[in-house]
Amino acid sequence: MSWDWYQLLPTRADEFKWIYGRTPLSNMWVLYGSWLLYFGGVIYVRWIMAERRRIDRGHPFIVIYNGSMLLTHFCVWTTGAWTMYHHLDISFFDYHCHPYQLRGRFFYGIFACYLLRYCTFLDTLVLVLRKKPIQFLHWYQHMFAPLILWSWLDDQSIFGGAAIIIMSLVLVARYAYYFCLSLSCGPHVQTTLKVLVIMTESVQTAAGLFLTAYQRVHCPQSSSVLLSACINITIASIAITYDQKPTAPVTRLRRKSMAQLD
């Protein structure tokens, strides 16, 4: 394994360049191995917790985890937003399919978010430690999110940079809500943050459809856009159809979002 570990350093973000097999965690076997560890680890911890009491949401581990994820995703969001603003003056959308001029910090933001998606596997561990039910959509999203980000990096998708800003903002709102719950914030603050999460997720869905359609028109040969479209459509389908009651799709999506946050 000949990974260039220096690419992990934020101080060298301007020199970052995704190279399969050289960039840390860029090999496909890393994705496959992470899925095995993910499922195996959750099953093992569930077995361990079978005869033990669940931990409280105010447990120090949960507080520290939610706080650290909030901080790191906020850093990714600010970095991505600054980079996107910097590139707006050079006709960002004119790069279309193969933005070889856009390297360094622009793609380092996607890479940082890609690494964090492996850390978010611990979301499932928190649910297991609290003995909460794990919905299929939770498994699906956490399993395929790293694959989507990997495809953006490998395909040098410029739209991945815009998607990262939106995705990071959603995760900032989500972990702010979790952090608030772990600190037992007031009900008004909790309700406000929950509404904020649902609103940002709605924006993420709409923006994802727009960016996917735009890239599909300009880059029909792109493999990442097809993969993203398939996974996102599947996620939306699962979210809409999970509740078999005769309610409107928007209501089902809202219920699904709120159920995941509780």
Side-chain angles (χ1 to χ4, degrees):
M1 186 169 58
S2 56
W3 288 345
D4 182 8
W5 295 101
Y6 287 102
Q7 294 198 55
L8 294 174
L9 299 176
T11 54
R12 301 188 60 177
D14 292 327
E15 306 171 17
F16 177 80
K17 181 181 179 182
W18 174 269
I19 302 176
Y20 182 86
R22 288 285 295 165
T23 303
L25 278 69
S26 60
N27 304 76
M28 285 300 297
W29 63 261
V30 174
L31 281 166
Y32 303 145
S34 69
W35 293 341
L36 292 175
L37 289 175
Y38 177 47
F39 287 110
V42 169
I43 293 172
Y44 177 73
V45 175
R46 261 188 167 175
W47 178 71
I48 292 294
M49 292 295 296
E51 302 298 329
R52 301 187 182 187
R53 294 183 57 186
R54 69 171 189 167
I55 67 174
D56 187 73
R57 64 175 45 159
H59 191 277
F61 166 72
I62 297 181
V63 175
I64 294 173
Y65 171 70
N66 289 331
S68 60
M69 294 300 286
L70 170 61
L71 179 61
T72 51
H73 280 99
F74 180 76
C75 291
V76 171
W77 177 76
T78 53
T79 302
W82 180 88
T83 305
M84 182 67 69
Y85 175 78
H86 175 73
H87 286 294
L88 284 177
D89 60 347
I90 53 176
S91 301
F92 173 76
F93 284 98
D94 288 342
Y95 285 100
H96 295 322
C97 305
H98 301 292
Y100 295 111
Q101 304 94 325
L102 294 178
R103 291 178 179 172
R105 191 174 297 273
F106 183 85
F107 287 110
Y108 183 81
I110 305 178
F111 179 62
C113 197
Y114 168 69
L115 297 179
L116 284 174
R117 293 310 298 184
Y118 290 109
C119 298
T120 56
F121 284 171
L122 294 176
D123 288 353
T124 312
L125 177 62
V126 170
L127 293 177
V128 173
L129 292 175
R130 299 202 63 236
K131 294 190 174 182
K132 293 288 187 177
I134 304 176
Q135 300 170 353
F136 175 75
L137 183 58
H138 176 94
W139 291 101
Y140 192 84
Q141 286 179 315
H142 281 68
M143 179 177 175
F144 285 104
L147 178 60
I148 292 178
L149 291 165
W150 181 92
S151 69
W152 291 348
L153 287 164
D154 201 61
D155 202 39
Q156 296 196 54
S157 172
I158 62 171
F159 301 97
I164 286 301
I165 297 175
I166 302 170
M167 182 185 298
S168 298
L169 183 60
V170 171
L171 291 171
V172 166
R174 179 175 285 272
Y175 282 108
Y177 175 72
Y178 291 154
F179 188 61
C180 180
L181 286 180
S182 61
L183 294 179
S184 300
C185 298
H188 178 71
V189 178
Q190 294 181 18
T191 302
T192 302
L193 287 174
K194 179 180 284 191
V195 172
L196 178 62
V197 172
I198 296 173
M199 290 177 59
T200 54
E201 287 182 342
S202 300
V203 172
Q204 181 184 26
T205 302
L209 292 173
F210 169 76
L211 290 174
T212 300
Y214 189 94
Q215 189 178 9
R216 186 60 183 164
V217 171
H218 291 279
C219 314
Q221 76 278 17
S222 174
S223 57
S224 64
V225 64
L226 183 60
L227 176 65
S228 300
C230 292
I231 294 177
N232 289 328
I233 290 173
T234 306
I235 290 175
S237 176
I238 295 172
I240 291 175
T241 59
Y242 93 102
D243 186 356
Q244 299 301 322
K245 295 180 181 180
T247 53
V250 175
T251 304
R252 295 176 189 169
L253 281 170
R254 185 169 60 85
R255 284 185 182 177
K256 188 66 174 178
S257 298
M258 295 180 70
Q260 287 183 313
L261 293 175
D262 289 332

